[in-house]
Amino acid sequence: MRIGQYTDSDTTRTDSESTADAAGTDPWVGVATDDGVVDLATAGAAAGVDIGPKTSDLLADWEWRRKADLAVEYAESTGVGLRDPADLDRAAPVDDPQKVVCVGLNYRDHAEEGDNEIPDEPVLFSKFPTSVVGPEDAVRWDPDYTEKVDYEAELVAVIGERARRVDPEDALDHVAGFTVGNDVSARDLQHGDGQWVRGKSLDTFAPTGPDLVTTDEVGDPHDLNIFAEVNGERLQESSTENLIFGVDELISFCSRAFTLEPGDLVFTGTPPGVGVYREPPVLLGDGDRVTIGVEGVGELTSEFETE
Ligand code: ZN
């Protein structure tokens, strides 16, 4: 199942408003099917199941998968709640996570690329939730504030069930599915500060999407090709089989320290080839376009704009 968030297109909106996340209508949760996009709350209400308006509401319900399946079946058989994707804009699959957890140095060859030792335990850091944007939003920054904007291709796990002190063998049961993420980083702030939260948390620096693809559809999350392309040139290419700590180990490790809640995002790290370590370095500027792809999960393209 491909779960996403949508807003109704409004052609009267000006360009600057349409890229400003807050200016649009509140996004609502839908499921992409061959017949169109199922508005889960509308189809669910008609089918007799109560589904909240957003992905975070859906995932907070322990029966979310059963309810979503019922709503989709009902929409496919009656047409109720079925929308034409041409009338819709895309928002982040989860635009209001409580936490965005990230892990550094989680691909063996990326750790070596930065001359870092292979860690014995995951090195966690965070992006503030206000950095999250969707597949149609631009990444924007003030060029006087940071001059070293970089990309990081990442597989992102979306929590579907509260996780506290779970073992690795149970951890994937707490994951709803996966999406594609770009852990956009201001390298000058990240390296200058001595810790990373500011350089990782600029507004718009966490593009995600387009869909949250459920675990049953993704299959083994540790055997997926992953890439980043900058203006069509492939600069990162690897497989999640190169993860030092797998999704199950990461979820378990996090959950021993803090509770993971439905809708929380866990960025699982990036493979080699990020811009700052290239010779010469590749740093992003106004007008650049970055596509991140993860096999079976999707492709996420973001425009980069200085403001
Ligand atoms: Zn990262």
Side-chain angles (χ1 to χ4, degrees):
M1 179 176 279
R2 303 185 83 90
I3 299 169
Q5 288 197 124
Y6 298 84
T7 56
D8 296 290
S9 295
D10 181 352
T11 50
T12 62
R13 264 189 288 158
T14 68
D15 209 37
S16 66
E17 278 170 345
S18 67
T19 54
D21 190 57
T25 53
D26 248 2
W28 46 266
V29 60
V31 170
T33 72
D34 291 342
D35 302 330
V37 174
V38 177
D39 172 344
L40 284 186
T42 301
V49 291
D50 188 24
I51 297 176
K54 303 186 71 168
T55 307
S56 52
D57 301 313
L58 174 72
L59 298 180
D61 187 330
W62 67 276
E63 288 189 296
W64 70 266
R65 183 59 197 256
R66 188 183 69 82
K67 289 184 171 182
D69 283 335
L70 278 171
V72 169
E73 274 172 38
Y74 191 84
E76 285 179 328
S77 60
T78 65
V80 173
L82 208 52
R83 301 289 307 274
D84 183 344
D87 299 334
L88 304 174
D89 291 328
R90 306 299 310 267
V94 180
D95 67 314
D96 54 355
Q98 291 189 22
K99 289 186 284 304
V100 181
V101 182
C102 305
V103 58
L105 310 174
N106 199 28
Y107 283 75
R108 202 163 292 276
D109 28 8
H110 178 46
E112 288 161 0
E113 169 188 60
D115 225 2
N116 295 288
E117 300 208 349
I118 302 289
D120 297 326
E121 286 193 321
V123 179
L124 300 182
F125 62 95
S126 179
K127 294 168 93 76
F128 288 128
T130 39
S131 62
V132 173
V133 290
E136 293 181 1
D137 299 314
V139 175
R140 309 179 91 176
W141 71 97
D142 175 354
D144 292 331
Y145 191 73
T146 170
E147 297 179 335
K148 292 192 175 180
V149 175
D150 202 354
Y151 53 88
E152 293 189 356
E154 306 214 6
L155 171 71
V156 178
V158 182
I159 300 299
E161 183 183 316
R162 177 175 292 170
R164 183 162 187 271
R165 295 181 184 162
V166 298
D167 293 329
E169 52 269 32
D170 299 323
L172 288 177
D173 294 341
H174 296 260
V175 175
F178 297 92
T179 191
V180 179
N182 188 346
D183 176 13
V184 182
S185 306
R187 299 297 187 196
D188 39 5
L189 308 183
Q190 177 190 354
H191 296 149
D193 282 358
Q195 53 81 37
W196 297 0
V197 72
R198 184 171 64 126
K200 294 283 191 175
S201 291
L202 271 62
D203 290 348
T204 73
F205 272 35
T208 53
D211 295 304
L212 186 186
V213 183
T214 50
T215 48
D216 56 307
E217 200 164 317
V218 172
D220 180 4
H222 305 129
D223 187 23
L224 306 174
N225 293 320
I226 180 169
F227 70 83
E229 289 177 352
V230 178
N231 304 322
E233 187 183 353
R234 191 158 291 208
L235 297 181
Q236 286 186 288
E237 184 154 38
S238 189
S239 164
T240 57
E241 70 185 1
N242 295 320
L243 285 170
I244 297 170
F245 303 103
V247 177
D248 45 356
E249 291 172 274
L250 287 176
I251 300 294
S252 174
F253 182 81
C254 290
S255 79
R256 270 182 249 134
F258 46 83
T259 304
L260 290 166
E261 297 284 1
D264 283 351
L265 305 179
V266 180
F267 280 63
T268 59
T270 201
V274 299
V276 73
Y277 298 126
R278 303 189 77 88
E279 294 284 351
V282 174
L283 296 165
L284 299 172
D286 190 49
D288 283 333
R289 189 180 168 88
V290 179
T291 299
I292 311 294
V294 179
E295 181 184 5
V297 182
E299 292 189 7
L300 170 73
T301 298
S302 307
E303 308 285 342
F304 283 66
E305 298 176 1
T306 56
E307 55 185 10

